[in-house]
Structures are given as structure tokens and as C-alpha cells.
Amino acid sequence: MGAAMRKLLLSATAAVVLSTGLADAADFRMPVKALPPAAPEPSMWDIAFGGALMSDYNFRGISQSDRGPSVFAYSELRFKPLANF
């Protein structure tokens, strides 16, 4: 056999080996990851809270906070019968 024929046979064999290996890799199964646990249903009760720090508050020219800063805080418990509403 000549060198050209040997080279052609070697490249054809390499092409067949490489192409069948890739086709076999497509058939492998990927490992299945476990699903995350289901989220708990939201509660019908909700708590809201907040606060504010304000400078001197004037209403119609009269100071409502004795010419100084004031602090406001609140909290509330809310009932939500429709969680998505």
C-alpha cells in the first residue's frame, strides 16, 4: 500500500471512531437532581411595622413638635383571607 492510501485509510478510521463516540455520548443519561421541597403555604396573618424621624413640623405656622424633632413608630397585625389578593 502506498503512503497516500495508508493516510486515507487512517483518516477514515479516525473519522468513524470519533463520530460513533460522539453519538454514544448523546445516549448517556444525565443524573436527575432531587426536586426542592415545596414552599409552605403563606400565612393569613401579616405583621407590619415601621417608623419615622421628622424635623420640626409646622401646620399653619404653629409648631406641632415643640420646635424640635419628632419620632413616630407603628406596628399592626393584618389579616389577609386571600393570600394572593
Side-chain angles (χ1 to χ4, degrees):
M1 266 204 286
M5 187 64 137
R6 192 173 297 150
K7 191 176 190 180
L8 179 64
L9 184 61
L10 182 61
S11 61
T13 305
V16 169
V17 168
L18 289 176
S19 66
T20 57
L22 295 175
D24 286 340
D27 293 336
F28 291 136
R29 290 187 177 218
M30 294 296 293
V32 178
K33 294 182 181 178
L35 295 175
E41 201 163 311
S43 174
M44 292 177 26
W45 293 94
D46 189 24
I47 298 173
F49 57 90
L53 177 63
M54 297 173 271
S55 62
D56 183 23
Y57 176 68
N58 290 316
F59 179 72
R60 295 186 181 176
I62 300 171
S63 175
Q64 301 294 310
S65 59
D66 197 23
R67 304 265 183 237
S70 61
V71 178
F72 175 74
Y74 72 92
S75 66
E76 64 180 85
L77 181 64
R78 296 186 289 190
F79 179 67
K80 304 182 303 181
L82 301 174
N84 295 329
F85 185 64

